[in-house]
Amino acid sequence: MTKVTIWNEYLHERRNEAVRHIYPQGIHGAIAQGLQGLGDFKVRTATLEEPEHGLSQAVLDDTEVLLWWGHLAHDQVSEAVVERVQLRVLSGMGLIVLHSGHYARVFKRLMGTFCSLKWREAGERERLWNLRPDHPILQGIPEYFELPQEEMYSERFDIPEPEELLMISWFQGGEVFRSACTWRRGHGRVFYFRPGHETFPTYHHPHILRILANACVWARQRVNLDVTQAPNQAPLEPL
Amino acid sequence: MTKVTIWNEYLHERRNEAVRHIYPQGIHGAIAQGLQGLGDFKVRTATLEEPEHGLSQAVLDDTEVLLWWGHLAHDQVSEAVVERVQLRVLSGMGLIVLHSGHYARVFKRLMGTFCSLKWREAGERERLWNLRPDHPILQGIPEYFELPQEEMYSERFDIPEPEELLMISWFQGGEVFRSACTWRRGHGRVFYFRPGHETFPTYHHPHILRILANACVWARQRVNLDVTQAPNQAPLEPL
Amino acid sequence: MTKVTIWNEYLHERRNEAVRHIYPQGIHGAIAQGLQGLGDFKVRTATLEEPEHGLSQAVLDDTEVLLWWGHLAHDQVSEAVVERVQLRVLSGMGLIVLHSGHYARVFKRLMGTFCSLKWREAGERERLWNLRPDHPILQGIPEYFELPQEEMYSERFDIPEPEELLMISWFQGGEVFRSACTWRRGHGRVFYFRPGHETFPTYHHPHILRILANACVWARQRVNLDVTQAPNQAPLEPL
Amino acid sequence: MTKVTIWNEYLHERRNEAVRHIYPQGIHGAIAQGLQGLGDFKVRTATLEEPEHGLSQAVLDDTEVLLWWGHLAHDQVSEAVVERVQLRVLSGMGLIVLHSGHYARVFKRLMGTFCSLKWREAGERERLWNLRPDHPILQGIPEYFELPQEEMYSERFDIPEPEELLMISWFQGGEVFRSACTWRRGHGRVFYFRPGHETFPTYHHPHILRILANACVWARQRVNLDVTQAPNQAPLEPL
């Protein structure tokens, strides 16, 4: 059983009827529902406007994998929560960053880069190519699949060299993007996954949900280790 | 010609006579002097207690490679300067982080990790092994060399997997350490180099100075690119 | 259940009484026995002098993870078997290369490098430092452990940059070594693990056996994919 | 001054009038001519049908960077020359592998993988995206550029994870490809660069030639180190 917390800004769905129509329970709700049936998950959700954004120390301590969707309000996420999430990742919690979460403060903090990219909202076709059919995150995923309408993200994406590049997107308008990337930070695993614009039903797509379920299992580490200590060490050999 | 700025906290040398005896012009002064004769460098220094820690936007804009030595006062480096340095690295400035600078806020910010380690001040022997005699940073360096007395740093060092691991240290007391590591962040190159405790004459050692001179040349990128823009992109193909 | 084949040259044990005393069933036998009780493994062994070195296509097709110990007779391993093992790794079989297997033809073929190193047989102390307590291969392993007597291997080790560096060895005589490294080749995972000289009881050590058992689980991929095809692809979009 | 040898199979140009029309001096001749004026190169060429394929030990010893174009006759390259080139790369010679050279024996030997891919000859548009405007190989190259007609190569490309991924290609027919990748093997640098089908004037394109010239400078290491020795090492510390 994997303990998953899905964090969502949860603003678009409440402000915009078209988005609400696609995600009546919020993006977090759609993902939570989608994960059921795809594995042994204990799912919790948290949103921006809850106290401490729903991410108290107790919640994080009980979270093995955190998913993050944000867009409009990255700046409203408090420094305290950013640092708390960062430290939990370094201690071993998995982090899955979704779509516009490329600009989330927690992602930027863990990457050390600005995480900028080019974009276009034109509802065009995206085709995601599978570079790693061997990878646990891509089990059950074909050599490529298409999303009929998505926001476009284009290179150059300002990230550190991914440790594993799992998928590259082809866009109808002529661009490419590193859409599924992994890194390790401290004892934690980080996965960035590009698709997921709020005006399209991306989080109802079976391949997308399969990838997220796989990623939750992959990102779950069985450790919880303190990285904040810098102990004085006695010699192990005579000096 | 490479424009180098050497930043030093410059506290130990003023507070402790033993350190001042080794580095009468400060650690920054010793490195500045050491670089002369090892290449075509225009060297500037900057210290903590100068206005803006000596790292105004104008200074950074005129810096191609920044060296960083700090220990006692990481917390006194202002957030504004941390962000300014980070952005300059992402734009292409090289950064060379020395010894206890593993805990410098600029290094932690770029790595995304806590950067903790184990340590011991016992003045023991360190032997640095050269894993990359092909690498520009290690030209002129033998297969190993020894520092008769150094502070010990031990694994586990909480850093992202280095993109290049250039040297590993053997310590007399029984430990090992990844002592020379490189990463890229944005358009900038980052080099961490372990030796350099203030109570030992490490920065007078010819191999240490050769490595720093080589690293300045290596870290110098000929670009200055803005990473902070996320432009809307018109389609390149018909939609 | 993981299907493991342990390959051993099996010459030292038959020619040298001291080695036979430590490994009366051969190194392969000791590892096979050691894996029992540490997980759900179906273990098979194979040796140099069997037909096809015990590695027929049928055996490899039924192998999920192959361990390899060789030393005296790397040159006697046939090209046909080298290519067969390489192709199975590329298709998804895990490979765990032990100690003097650094010079095994299958390892060199997969790395693309010469895999040379420095060495000394002096029965000295080795201390292995754990850089990755989060990693599946190192679960149950402390921050370091010691082998009272081992052959020394020293850098520079001529390998491609490891994708993950898990352990570094400290040697009493003054050297260091990257002792536990991983790479991916094709769809397969490769793990090199340094200790294991035939004149010492290394493969009876509980931490060594734990690492091998963990590595078997880690290296097991659930895929078997053909990498040898280069198909002509029809366009997915109008040209 | 960089000593460059351009190796070309040189069969298409002699057998096919259309190809000969584009490359009357052969692909090697076009590249050799193109490099003039783009840097300080001493260029030599070599072809399959010369004795030892034009790659005697003396020629390789006098080569700092080798370019490789092959397609029809990978199998006709002798094992002796494959091993000779591999060893020179491990000693520090740079290697630039072009287009269908993905299946060259020297490339496969250095990668350790099968290097398969999907392909289509339809003369479609390729757009190469620049992920690394900071990289020496891409100086002078815009954020993207287009080749009006090229052969298509598609993922999955069976290569080890590139150490640096410099460019990704978008194809009109709907595919993507990692078109510019670097690795290190031994002391040598390896660069794979996708474009260059013999029926199109790709090697007359100024951006392509600029990339090749930059890559020659980048791949040139100033070392020539023997990797084939595994010396017995005397202890540096008392045992």
Side-chain angles (χ1 to χ4, degrees), chain D residues 11-155:
Chain D
L11 297 179
H12 286 294
E13 301 94 324
R14 289 155 54 209
R15 296 179 183 176
N16 181 323
E17 190 174 335
V19 178
R20 188 165 54 244
H21 184 72
I22 302 173
Y23 297 117
Q25 314 300 324
I27 284 174
H28 54 298
I31 296 174
Q33 188 174 1
L35 291 180
Q36 304 308 333
L38 295 178
D40 187 13
F41 302 110
K42 180 180 171 189
V43 178
R44 181 192 263 132
T45 63
T47 56
L48 178 71
E49 296 185 357
E50 298 175 41
E52 303 183 69
H53 314 317
L55 298 175
S56 67
Q57 190 65 52
V59 165
L60 287 180
D61 286 347
D62 196 45
T63 297
E64 292 176 314
V65 181
L66 177 66
L67 289 85
W68 193 281
W69 199 102
H71 183 212
L72 298 174
H74 296 311
D75 288 349
Q76 294 174 38
V77 177
S78 73
E79 176 67 15
V81 166
V82 170
E83 291 193 359
R84 195 183 288 161
V85 170
Q86 179 183 22
L87 263 184
R88 269 294 288 139
V89 171
L90 300 184
S91 297
M93 183 183 75
L95 179 68
I96 299 174
V97 176
L98 300 170
H99 190 60
S100 43
H102 73 92
Y103 259 177
R105 295 186 65 210
V106 295
F107 186 58
K108 297 179 70 164
R109 190 65 60 88
L110 284 159
M111 293 295 104
T113 58
F114 207 84
C115 303
S116 48
L117 46 79
K118 300 199 197 74
W119 59 279
R120 175 175 59 240
E121 275 192 66
E124 70 205 85
R125 183 159 54 259
E126 174 178 14
R127 182 178 294 109
L128 292 110
W129 285 90
N130 180 352
L131 277 60
R132 293 287 307 274
D134 63 293
H135 198 282
I137 292 180
L138 297 181
Q139 294 312 293
I141 303 301
E143 62 174 335
Y144 67 85
F145 68 94
E146 297 173 9
L147 301 172
Q149 286 197 298
E150 253 292 351
E151 184 181 6
M152 186 282 294
Y153 279 6
S154 169
E155 299 284 348

Side-chain angles (χ1 to χ4, degrees), chain A residues 125 127 129 144 146 170, chain C residues 231-239, chain D residues 118-125 152 154 171-175:
Chain A
R125 181 158 58 259
R127 182 177 296 108
W129 285 90
Y144 67 84
E146 297 173 9
W170 177 101
Chain C
N232 187 265
Q233 157 103 20
L236 302 166
E237 303 280 337
L239 293 183
Chain D
K118 300 199 197 74
W119 59 279
R120 175 175 59 240
E121 275 192 66
E124 70 205 85
R125 183 159 54 259
M152 186 282 294
S154 169
F171 287 97
Q172 194 177 356
E175 295 85 2

